[in-house]
Amino acid sequence: MESQMDIRVQSRIAMLSQTSTLGNKKFKTFKMNKPIKVFRSKSQLLKVPIDSPEFARHMDEEDRFASFRDQFVFPLKKDLPYECSQLGVRHSLVRLFDETEECLYLCGQSLGLEPKPLGKYVNQVLDNWAQKGVHSHFHGYLPAALSDLMPKAPMARIVGAKQHEVALMNALTVNLHLLLSTFYRPSQRRHKIIIEEHAFSSDMFVVKSQIRSHGLSPEDSLLCLKPRPNRPELVSADTVQVLNI
């Protein structure tokens, strides 16, 4: 029987190490296959179906970041609203599961879970405000006027920039408006914006409002990329075809 280490090594056959040259520097690049191919390979090595609980448990055990789950607060099922409760069938749903269990949270792309230490840090900021008043702008714990400076170093590493090139500001929707207000300069010849058909609703609102602010119509100036029938993802060739219109 193969050891867990053998399985772990063999399951990485989808990762191909290559040496590339850029100028006089050599560096290694890694080409990853699609996750489904990696999962299928691992499923074959483990000899368990890819959609089985055994396979899921193995993936959890192998996850190096699994411990991060304990750093977030998961809502309990009993605290979540049920759409069906408006129809008077809440009690029939309750019997299907234990309401004291944590929910399965799949909405991180919209609003992430609360980190467990967050309350402590927020209270420290509020205490600093209460104790120092206007002086909390520049003194005490996380001064308000300087609060964006602390995460600059880690953010610079994430985006591959220097600290003086990075600014943390606002939220996504505001930043999209600022970006388009600065760089979107439509002309009679060039005025169209391309976006995926089912983009996040606030992103779509930003694009449409920016188009309208220039006296144009989204019907004429907005191109929506759509997947082919029976395919969930966009095809690069279709995107290129739209760009060539």
Side-chain angles (χ1 to χ4, degrees), residues 17-138:
S17 176
Q18 300 174 333
T19 301
S20 303
T21 303
L22 181 62
N24 296 324
K25 295 183 178 180
K26 288 187 176 181
F27 60 95
K28 277 192 173 182
T29 59
F30 294 93
K31 182 179 180 181
M32 289 290 293
N33 273 328
K34 292 182 178 180
I36 186 61
K37 292 184 178 180
V38 178
F39 291 157
R40 284 172 179 164
S41 173
K42 191 181 293 290
S43 173
Q44 292 172 359
L45 291 168
L46 293 170
K47 296 181 173 58
V48 294
I50 196 171
D51 58 351
S52 66
E54 292 80 9
F55 183 80
R57 279 192 288 269
H58 176 83
M59 295 301 296
D60 285 343
E61 292 170 359
E62 205 176 75
D63 184 3
R64 293 179 299 163
F65 302 102
S67 61
F68 281 91
R69 188 184 191 282
D70 297 330
Q71 298 183 25
F72 296 87
V73 180
F74 282 76
L76 299 180
K77 293 178 180 178
K78 69 181 180 64
D79 295 325
L80 297 177
Y82 301 108
E83 293 182 7
C84 295
S85 65
Q86 299 174 1
L87 304 177
V89 294
R90 174 184 170 87
H91 295 294
S92 63
L93 287 175
V94 170
R95 289 194 293 270
L96 298 178
F97 52 77
D98 182 356
E99 282 204 320
T100 63
E101 291 180 347
E102 294 178 344
C103 73
L104 299 177
Y105 197 78
L106 303 176
C107 301
Q109 86 291 348
S110 179
L111 180 63
L113 293 171
E114 178 185 322
K116 289 180 178 178
L118 180 64
K120 178 184 71 174
Y121 296 137
V122 170
N123 285 331
Q124 284 180 294
V125 172
L126 295 176
D127 290 343
N128 191 50
W129 176 18
Q131 294 163 8
K132 294 182 174 60
V134 69
H135 294 291
S136 64
H137 282 150
F138 293 97

Side-chain angles (χ1 to χ4, degrees), residues 199-217:
F200 198 68
S201 56
S202 58
D203 297 347
M204 188 68 77
F205 294 151
V206 168
V207 173
K208 289 183 177 180
S209 64
Q210 285 288 328
I211 290 173
R212 292 190 180 103
S213 71
H214 289 276
L216 302 172
S217 168

Side-chain angles (χ1 to χ4, degrees), residues 158-169:
I158 290 174
V159 300
K162 297 178 181 178
Q163 286 193 45
H164 70 271
E165 298 173 328
V166 175
L168 284 85
M169 51 188 285

